[in-house]
Amino acid sequence: MSKVTTLNEFIMDRQHDFAYATGELSRLLNDISVASKIVTRDVRRAGLVDAIQGAQGGMNIQGEAQQKLDVIADNQFIKMFEAGGEVCGIASEENDDFVAFDSDFSKKGKYVVLFDPLDGSSNIDVNVSIGTIFSIYRRTSKVGESATIEDMLQSGAEQIAAGYVLYGSSTMLVYTTGFGVNGFTLDPSIGEYCLSHPNMRMPELGRQYSMNEGNIKVSEKGIQDYIAYCQETDPATNRPYSGRYIGSLVADFHRSLIKGGIYIYPDTPSHPEGRLRLIYECNPLAFIAEQAGGLATTGRKRVLDIKPEKLHQRIPFIIGSKKMVERVVNLIEKASTVEQ
Ligand code: AHM
Ligand code: MG
């Protein structure tokens, strides 16, 4: 019988991969895994506990109804980061502003974490998969001082680690530190994440596309042309492709990562800058996609090259298998040239 590798063992074994490794990043990844196990427990009980499920009554900064579990997950991760000592500050999709931890202990932390505690939370009530997405940067401000907004607004290319937790039929944690992507499945019987998907590679071409097609008529021409391409019949290229849209980014992305595919959320009249948030959702998944051989773009620019201007910035987002993303980008370019 082959030996099971737990996430902890794996993180420790890989510690030498990090520049200036002193164990802090390893401890931080471990903190994330512990917090995600607590959130897993809460997510699994959500249908049972009326007090947990349902709208909190508040609105987040983007005017969306906050679900109770969003708030619970947010608090859980923040508590863990504040207590750990590796992190000097955080920014979260659920909070209007970033939080600089004020104890001397935390001010010595070298890292900041940007995260979406519970993505796809409008799906909680209907029992569909949801996820946590996180992104880790080295601070640019001085160790010992308070974290600054500049620490939070680094371009995605500066990430030193990123990952997501998918609360699906099983809980999975997938992460990268820039040396490939590895996936771990939580074994509830022993409470450990076990290496189940080593060295994940995204197939160069898939045959599933993922988009809220309710938006197709209000999308730009290049996107319309690509969806039309996906729907055309051509046995030689295995088309038509299948449409698959869960409406939970982590779950839709996870499927593309494993099977090959593409996820598209363009700008629309109701979301003129795009729907998804650059620093909490797009950057971490873009880092993972590229590490697995895929691509992530706005349609005009590589996501990881964008310098964020504000915390809750949104962008049009296209992510997935290399050849599929390249095709959309070409069609967008072509449509824009014709328009000029
Ligand atoms: P959230 O962070 O408020 O949950 O919003 C992000 C979610 C993504 O998970 C999902 O892909 C998208 O919003 C769905 O949007 P829509 O309902 O417009 O298709
Ligand atoms: Mg989200």
Side-chain angles (χ1 to χ4, degrees), residues 80-220:
M80 197 61 90
F81 295 138
E82 190 162 20
E86 295 88 27
V87 176
C88 60
I90 61 100
S92 141
E93 190 183 299
E94 293 304 324
N95 293 301
D96 302 358
D97 209 348
F98 73 95
V99 181
F101 297 141
D102 53 13
S103 72
D104 288 341
F105 172 63
S106 291
K107 282 182 185 166
K108 289 193 191 120
K110 292 183 187 144
Y111 299 103
V112 293
V113 186
L114 281 41
F115 65 104
D116 181 353
L118 219 46
D119 181 68
S121 50
S122 60
N123 285 321
I124 293 169
D125 289 352
V126 290
N127 215 346
V128 170
S129 301
I130 46 182
T132 297
I133 314 175
F134 62 90
S135 179
I136 303 174
Y137 294 81
R138 275 185 90 83
R139 67 189 299 175
T140 54
S141 57
K142 253 173 111 181
V143 172
E145 294 180 1
S146 293
T148 63
I149 184 75
E150 286 76 28
D151 291 327
M152 311 293 159
L153 298 182
Q154 302 184 53
S155 63
E158 304 298 327
Q159 289 173 101
I160 55 159
Y164 61 82
V165 182
L166 173 62
Y167 310 100
S169 46
S170 50
T171 297
M172 271 197 79
L173 189 152
V174 174
Y175 82 100
T176 182
T177 53
F179 298 88
V181 179
N182 290 282
F184 300 79
T185 303
L186 183 62
D187 181 341
S189 65
I190 55 169
E192 291 277 7
Y193 281 108
C194 301
L195 180 61
S196 51
H197 295 66
N199 193 20
M200 298 173 87
R201 302 296 299 166
M202 188 179 258
E204 280 207 329
L205 185 64
R207 47 172 323 279
Q208 299 190 345
Y209 68 94
S210 196
M211 174 180 172
N212 179 344
E213 282 187 79
N215 289 326
I216 194 69
K217 287 191 178 156
V218 292
S219 299
E220 65 175 297

Side-chain angles (χ1 to χ4, degrees), residues 202-205 261 293-295 320-328:
M202 188 179 258
E204 280 207 329
L205 185 64
L295 291 175
S321 292
K322 184 167 178 285
K323 290 193 170 151
M324 299 174 93
V325 175
E326 282 170 351
R327 185 174 291 276
V328 197

Side-chain angles (χ1 to χ4, degrees), residues 18 29 34 49 59 79 108 179 192 256 294 306 324 339:
F18 317 133
L29 289 167
V34 173
V49 186
M59 291 279 182
K79 219 162 66 188
K108 289 193 191 120
F179 298 88
E192 291 277 7
S256 297
I306 301 171
M324 299 174 93
E339 267 166 29

